[in-house]
Amino acid sequence: MSVWREPEQFRSACSSARKDGQRVAFVPTMGALHEGHLKLIREARRRADFVAVSVFVNPTQFGANEDLSRYPRTLEKDVAQSLEAGASGVFAPDTAAMYPPGDCTRVRAGQIAEPLCGQFRPGHFEGVATVVAKLFALAGPCLAVFGRKDYQQLCVVRALARDLFLPVEVLGIPTVREKDGLAMSSRNAYLSASERSAAVAIPRALSAALQAFRAGERNAGALVAKARALVEPIAVSVDYVSLADADTLRVIEPSETMGERALLALAIRMPSARLIDNIVLGEDSDPLDQDAH
Ligand code: AMP
């Protein structure tokens, strides 16, 4: 049996694997898997004997006007692809299994959840922290693998594991990109053909800021302006283009000078989807560099 529908089946599969002396890795997803997710699963398999993937579209992390009802659901294909990439099984609970009647506990992520997406998606990171805490409680001691595409989410999850003393090691994997540099995302499926071609402005914007950084620019306002100029023309609205401390996510003000490493993160709204992307200046490769991904 490689699909667990019930929380207790998932818990006991992970715990049996550990009893057999296997190292357990866990890759949480919302499904509609693409090459980015598959890279996480392959990396998990390289580091562990038993790899559990979860596919759960978590309602508590969606705002009232967000895309919960239209979020793509492709479970059968997700299971086949997960197994092919090295997963031992897939946990695919329904909503009532994760949030049964009477469920009332929520995990509030602190400071790290406040800037960037936290300003524009109230309650989002509380939903993320809550579901990840539930999933970690079921998985038990493991290596949990997340993507750096959702950089702030990765930071929230690291803080969650640390602050609640959870027996989980959190690993972040670099963003997997399409040939033209666009970060892979389940939400790219929403884009019309013309939006999809325009979306290349996002990796171009990050790349332009990286080029300026490499040429010696360290003023936050100038670096942000470089990126913003490229995404503004394709966006219905820009939620943010910000430079932030890569560990604390404290936003670096336009007048400030960055050090040798900082997160450049953005979120823009296109007609059919809200897209996010980021790079760490001073650490990540150029998103337009084909060989790097
Ligand atoms: P999601 O299904 O969008 O919730 O994503 C599940 C996991 O896959 C999260 O840890 C994401 O950060 C990661 N992920 C999504 N897209 C990518 C990508 N393009 N590259 C690397 N990881 C990704």
Side-chain angles (χ1 to χ4, degrees):
M1 243 286 285
S2 47
V3 179
W4 312 299
R5 306 292 315 207
E6 296 303 325
E8 287 309 323
Q9 295 173 321
F10 171 45
R11 190 205 294 277
S12 81
C14 294
S15 98
S16 308
R18 273 187 303 271
K19 276 190 200 118
D20 292 345
Q22 295 188 297
R23 179 148 204 234
V24 171
F26 174 41
V27 183
T29 81
M30 296 206 301
L33 301 189
H34 50 66
E35 203 40 52
H37 298 109
L38 300 181
K39 180 167 169 218
L40 266 48
I41 299 171
R42 288 189 202 106
E43 286 294 323
R45 186 66 188 91
R46 275 194 338 112
R47 293 170 165 85
D49 316 293
F50 181 92
V51 176
V53 172
S54 65
V55 171
F56 179 61
V57 182
N58 173 39
T60 63
Q61 71 188 70
F62 286 79
N65 299 316
E66 293 184 355
D67 56 341
L68 174 62
S69 59
R70 68 171 180 145
Y71 198 85
R73 285 163 171 87
T74 58
L75 183 60
E76 226 172 281
K77 190 168 163 224
D78 294 343
V79 171
Q81 287 186 312
S82 298
L83 298 178
E84 166 89 28
S88 316
V90 176
F91 177 45
D94 61 23
T95 303
M98 292 302 282
Y99 296 98
D103 171 275
C104 61
T105 304
R106 295 293 177 269
V107 179
R108 188 175 62 80
Q111 267 181 11
I112 198 109
E114 282 166 15
L116 310 176
C117 284
Q119 295 283 303
F120 296 90
R121 299 187 74 190
H124 170 66
F125 288 117
E126 177 174 308
V128 168
T130 300
V131 79
V132 171
K134 285 170 181 268
L135 292 167
F136 283 2
L138 293 169
C142 66
L143 171 74
V145 184
F146 287 79
R148 287 171 60 139
K149 153 91 187 343
D150 300 274
Y151 193 95
Q152 190 172 16
Q153 169 174 278
L154 173 63
C155 294
V156 165
V157 170
R158 280 192 202 285
L160 168 82
R162 180 196 66 207
D163 296 346
L164 301 187
F165 304 110
L166 303 178
V168 176
E169 185 191 335
V170 178
L171 177 70
I173 298 290
T175 302
V176 179
R177 297 177 179 281
E178 302 283 359
K179 279 211 159 49
D180 66 358
L182 181 67
M184 290 190 184
S185 164
S186 307
R187 289 189 166 99
N188 292 349
Y190 298 150
L191 302 175
S192 68
S194 63
E195 287 173 72
R196 173 62 189 86
S197 15
V200 69
I202 299 170
R204 283 188 185 150
L206 297 176
S207 173
L210 179 61
Q211 293 314 318
F213 170 81
R214 285 181 176 163
E217 183 64 75
R218 294 292 181 274
N219 172 257
L223 289 163
V224 164
K226 280 260 179 243
R228 199 173 175 109
L230 282 160
V231 288
E232 226 152 35
I234 66 152
V236 175
S237 61
V238 175
D239 276 359
Y240 62 86
V241 180
S242 296
L243 200 63
D245 182 284
D247 300 314
T248 66
L249 303 190
R250 184 190 73 83
V251 170
I252 304 170
E253 297 304 328
S255 59
E256 288 183 76
T257 301
M258 66 168 280
E260 286 312 300
R261 175 176 171 265
L263 172 73
L264 178 65
L266 62 84
I268 65 166
R269 292 176 197 264
M270 303 210 37
S272 326
R274 177 180 184 275
L275 300 179
I276 61 171
D277 203 349
N278 72 82
I279 53 167
V280 176
L281 301 176
E283 185 172 297
D284 286 341
S285 57
D286 189 327
L288 298 182
D289 182 354
Q290 299 282 346
D291 301 332
H293 47 265

